[in-house]
Amino acid sequence: MSGSTGMAREASGGTTPAYFNIDPEAALAELGGPVTTEGFAEMARACAAGRDDLVGRGLGEDGQKRLRLFSTWEITRYLIPVAPAYFRRVLKAHPDLPQGRSESAGGAKWFTLDEVLRLRAHFAAEGSRTKEYKPYRPPGQPAKVVGVANFKGGVGKSSTCAHLAMSAALDGYRVLVIDLDSQGSLTSIFGGRVADEWQTVFPMIAGHHARHLRATNQGRIDRGEAPLPLDETLTAALDVDPRDLVQKTHWPNIDLIGAQLNLYWAEFQIPVWRMRAQGWKLWDALSDALEEGGLLEEYDIVFLDTPPALGYLTINGLAAADILLVPLGASFLEFDSTGRFLDMLHATFSSIEEGENMAARALGREETAFEWDAVRAVLTRYDGAQQGEMAALMQSYLGKTLSPHRQDFTALIGQAGEQVSGIYEADYRDFNRETYARGRETFDQTYAAFKRLLIGTWHRDVAAAAQRADAPA
């Protein structure tokens, strides 16, 4: 034994670290051959097979995801604010209402979410006016668009977006979720099937550019100039109705516009279109498509899950958003990264404003000014025992921008992630009641904080509309 090795053994209590004395021949035997580009395809196929296996475990016999049933206990505790005894009396007095089903004689009654929504509508029409059976949505106001973004991966962006959508659906809102991330995590959670980029937001953005070109060409023709050509992609996009991209999910009041890998090509195509047509406001493509396609009237809330990068798809999502949520963990690296993300948002959107407004001022037109109803950072995967001091420091610097509610990590959240589902899709009978209630409470609190933002922004819009109506002409 060499002197150095003996000293290492002595210093470590007789056991050397695993990185000492590695035998080159043994390392070579473990190494395997070099990896070619085809090797990535093999790895991708293995991941796809594993993904299909995991997703398939939550599917019904027809290959579709199924939402679990909800018990009387859950309904009266979480969904419809009535006492269990009163709930049962109402069902008995109204046999035309959904009666639920029991797994055994005299057992608890279980209902589909669609049945719960029908029951909620009945209580809203016939029940006490002092209780909130249906969530607040002022008439005449469009849906609120909620962007969930951060360019650091692994911060809980997709899961936060999915759980907020599920919370809102359980609350009775009509929800549309749009996956802007070509990785398609949100699409997987909601069981979406997307064949190619033509079933994503890609044709919405392409169609917006094509309509801009068509309007530009009319001006060119009027001036005697040759029109800019529309290729097959742009011509085809003109015929796509955004509503045709929407697919149903296993949630009766959550619809989806999904994503898949080919959506990433939009990041390369958008700058090419912009170079050819400098006047095209690419950042307005998604928001205009949502409005012109009627989707802001069909839904109450639209959630956008953005890619973990500040690319063109993210810019579209951020520009379309009324409310921006930025998930992050309570760590130095995530705090630092999020600060850089916010700095990039400032640089990006102020640059757009500056470029647009130079021309607007010269032509006497209205200037561009981006505005969001609210921006909040949300702490995710929080461990109070380990991260309390860091979270307090972040709160002291960010103030109101950081939501005071911290989304705890619990066993329920971990298991839901392993099963490619949300915690609201987990059957509470698979846990003890305390574990379920604790796991659910952290997401219920996250939703409550979000709902206060939602209601506040809608109420502000109503007050502003009333003020405009009362203003003298």
Side-chain angles (χ1 to χ4, degrees):
M1 179 183 297
S2 68
S4 60
T5 303
M7 291 172 62
R9 285 185 180 276
E10 183 178 349
S12 61
T15 303
T16 58
Y19 51 80
F20 280 9
N21 301 322
I22 295 175
D23 180 62
E25 291 295 331
L28 176 59
E30 295 174 6
L31 180 61
V35 177
T36 65
T37 52
E38 180 57 29
F40 290 119
E42 294 174 5
M43 297 175 202
R45 285 192 289 268
C47 289
R51 174 194 174 281
D52 291 343
D53 178 29
L54 289 169
V55 171
R57 297 180 190 187
L59 302 182
E61 293 181 358
D62 59 356
Q64 301 296 319
K65 290 193 80 170
R66 290 284 183 272
L67 185 61
R68 66 178 180 85
L69 302 179
F70 296 82
S71 70
T72 299
W73 171 77
E74 269 186 293
I75 293 170
T76 55
R77 174 165 178 170
Y78 294 112
L79 305 180
I80 302 178
V82 295
Y86 179 67
F87 180 79
R88 286 189 287 267
R89 286 199 302 272
V90 169
L91 295 190
K92 187 174 181 180
H94 296 83
D96 56 316
L97 290 175
Q99 298 295 309
R101 56 200 60 76
S102 299
E103 296 180 349
S104 60
K109 291 290 186 69
W110 294 79
F111 300 78
T112 67
L113 181 56
D114 191 55
E115 290 172 332
V116 173
L117 296 174
R118 290 168 57 193
L119 290 169
R120 176 182 276 133
H122 172 81
F123 281 99
E126 305 294 336
S128 170
R129 299 302 178 198
T130 63
K131 291 188 176 182
E132 183 187 83
Y133 294 109
K134 284 190 172 183
Y136 176 82
R137 165 73 191 274
Q141 292 295 321
K144 285 295 182 182
V145 180
V146 183
V148 184
N150 198 330
F151 68 14
K152 182 170 178 58
V155 296
K157 181 174 55 61
S158 295
S159 62
T160 297
C161 188
H163 282 110
L164 284 174
M166 293 176 188
S167 298
L170 290 174
D171 201 17
Y173 285 117
R174 299 167 300 164
V175 177
L176 174 65
V177 290
I178 301 179
D179 197 347
L180 297 175
D181 187 350
S182 59
Q183 296 178 85
S185 298
L186 193 69
T187 302
S188 294
I189 291 172
F190 286 105
R193 297 173 183 266
V194 182
D196 55 34
E197 68 273 22
W198 287 94
Q199 294 179 351
T200 72
V201 298
F202 177 79
M204 295 169 67
I205 297 173
H208 188 270
H209 176 66
R211 284 186 288 276
H212 169 80
L213 275 187
R214 196 163 57 180
T216 299
N217 281 340
Q218 186 58 56
R220 293 175 67 91
I221 292 171
D222 292 343
R223 295 191 300 271
E225 300 174 5
L228 298 171
L230 272 70
D231 59 25
E232 292 182 3
T233 296
L234 296 176
T235 302
L238 286 170
D239 295 328
V240 176
D241 186 331
R243 286 171 293 193
D244 293 337
L245 303 173
V246 175
Q247 54 182 290
K248 297 294 182 182
T249 73
H250 56 298
W251 286 72
N253 52 345
I254 298 180
D255 291 343
L256 166 74
I257 297 179
Q260 58 103 256
L261 191 59
N262 287 359
L263 176 59
Y264 190 70
W265 289 109
E267 298 288 358
F268 299 95
Q269 190 62 64
I270 289 173
V272 173
W273 290 336
R274 171 69 170 171
M275 287 179 64
R276 186 171 62 164
Q278 295 290 321
W280 177 46
K281 302 182 189 304
L282 65 91
W283 48 87
D284 286 340
L286 181 58
S287 56
D288 287 350
L290 289 173
E291 181 177 2
E292 293 165 7
L295 296 177
L296 299 183
E297 303 303 322
E298 293 186 20
Y299 298 93
D300 300 310
I301 311 172
V302 179
F303 287 98
L304 307 175
D305 186 29
T306 64
L310 192 54
Y312 294 104
L313 291 169
T314 299
I315 289 172
N316 258 277
L318 294 173
D322 300 300
I323 298 172
L324 175 60
L325 302 178
V326 184
L328 75 158
S331 74
F332 168 78
L333 290 179
E334 293 187 38
F335 187 33
D336 180 54
S337 175
T338 299
R340 297 174 192 276
F341 172 66
L342 295 170
D343 190 41
M344 286 187 67
L345 292 189
H346 168 258
T348 299
F349 285 101
S350 61
S351 175
I352 294 172
E353 289 174 343
E354 182 179 352
E356 290 295 298
N357 292 338
M358 286 179 62
R361 286 189 290 269
L363 297 172
R365 296 176 180 172
E366 183 179 356
E367 296 187 13
T368 297
F370 292 98
E371 184 176 86
W372 291 264
D373 289 334
V375 176
R376 292 291 185 274
V378 181
L379 286 183
T380 60
R381 301 171 292 107
Y382 178 68
D383 181 349
Q386 302 291 329
Q387 300 174 322
E389 184 178 353
M390 185 66 195
L393 182 145
M394 294 167 66
Q395 193 81 59
S396 69
Y397 279 99
L398 286 174
K400 191 175 182 179
T401 300
L402 180 61
S403 173
H405 171 67
R406 298 160 189 180
Q407 191 171 283
D408 298 329
F409 186 87
T410 69
L412 179 62
I413 296 170
Q415 181 166 328
E418 292 173 2
Q419 296 175 348
V420 199
S421 61
I423 65 165
Y424 294 114
E425 298 176 327
D427 191 324
Y428 67 84
R429 293 172 295 179
D430 295 336
F431 310 86
N432 64 52
R433 287 279 181 95
E434 182 181 347
T435 301
Y436 178 82
R438 186 170 63 252
R440 174 167 182 147
E441 182 181 9
T442 188
F443 277 93
D444 284 349
Q445 290 288 349
T446 300
Y447 175 63
F450 162 73
K451 189 177 178 182
R452 284 192 290 272
L453 290 178
L454 178 72
I455 290 175
T457 58
W458 260 328
H459 193 58
R460 184 166 61 193
D461 292 345
V462 170
Q467 188 175 20
R468 289 193 298 271
D470 293 339

